[in-house]
Amino acid sequence: MTSAFSPKKLNALNTRERQQATIAQFNAAMDAQDTATAIDIANYVVSDDDLSNHAFSRGWQLHCLKWLIIHHMNEWRNSEDNSEHEDKSIHALLDGLWKLKWIIGILPQDIGETRQDFDEAIEFMQHVYEDFEFSTAMVDKAQLDIAMLTGDAEAARKYFAQWQAADKDDMNDCEACEQSTLIDYYHFIGDYQRAAELAAPIISGEMTCGEVPHITYPSIINSLIQIGKFNEAQAVLQDAVDLITKSSEHFLWLIPQLIQLSVRLENREQAEELLDEFSHDIVEAAQNNHFHYLQYLIAVAPFNEEALEAARNLARDFDERNGNQYYQNQLDLMFVTPVLH
């Protein structure tokens, strides 16, 4: 069956409308048993571009990805051995399993997803990874990512140890991404000195990939601030601003954190310039991503009372789900100035 899906009209919609349209079209395809169209819509929702741009909510992306994985697994199992159909099915299946580790690790960005949803997602990942005899490393890392996004230090320590002890295989991240996660972890648990030490090969450019150093900058810069290396933090922040603002829109979601760091380093002029240039695009891009909208509100909070109140409310929503005050504390830090030398 030929797919009836065409992305042209969807690409012209704003972010919120695009999600609503894909949900409606996917459901219609399922009702009509139009598998070809359902596959194209699901692939559109979990494409590499949309994973970077955050055009869709994490819960919707996971729903589509799980459906694709189950579909391609059934197709592969029912394929004739050594056939073209078998090769195509296993290729699509492995692509889905690669994306699964990313989507599940950032599922807590969606305020609509519960702790039970996280557990069920991990259980699904464990099951399919076991089926293919993959190492538990990426399952452990996904649980580490969930722990850090939910502000759970005890769980983070547990899953970090398991991730480090697990065997590596073809599902592991690249060397630069693994280094980035190490830095994020030590930053998260408050070992800022260790995080700063691990940042050296990334700052120097020795370790890079398509997303590193971009995604690593916030943890590096804040670690430098926390250990009192303010001049170095200022220099790395400027490198981050130069790189990310000149990069594609895939990294737009990082700008609110750079604004927060500019405020922390008392560079309010730079913070306001970034807000003036990127606020509209950031808000539009974050329509379906509560976490990135929260980071934007936290960035704006020192400049706007309404944003401060909105940030308090959304941070409280995240913390109530997560069972702590992690994001409310993050907001409070915006109003604590480090002692600069």
Side-chain angles (χ1 to χ4, degrees), residues 2 4 60 98 109 155 185 215 221 246 262 271 276 306 310 317:
T2 303
W60 175 226
W98 179 266
Q109 291 179 353
Y185 169 72
I215 62 172
I221 297 163
K246 291 178 175 63
S262 295
D276 288 343
E306 290 183 6
D317 290 341

Side-chain angles (χ1 to χ4, degrees), residues 229-241:
K229 294 188 175 182
F230 302 115
N231 290 336
E232 189 174 347
Q234 290 274 16
V236 177
L237 174 59
Q238 192 56 56
D239 288 342
V241 170

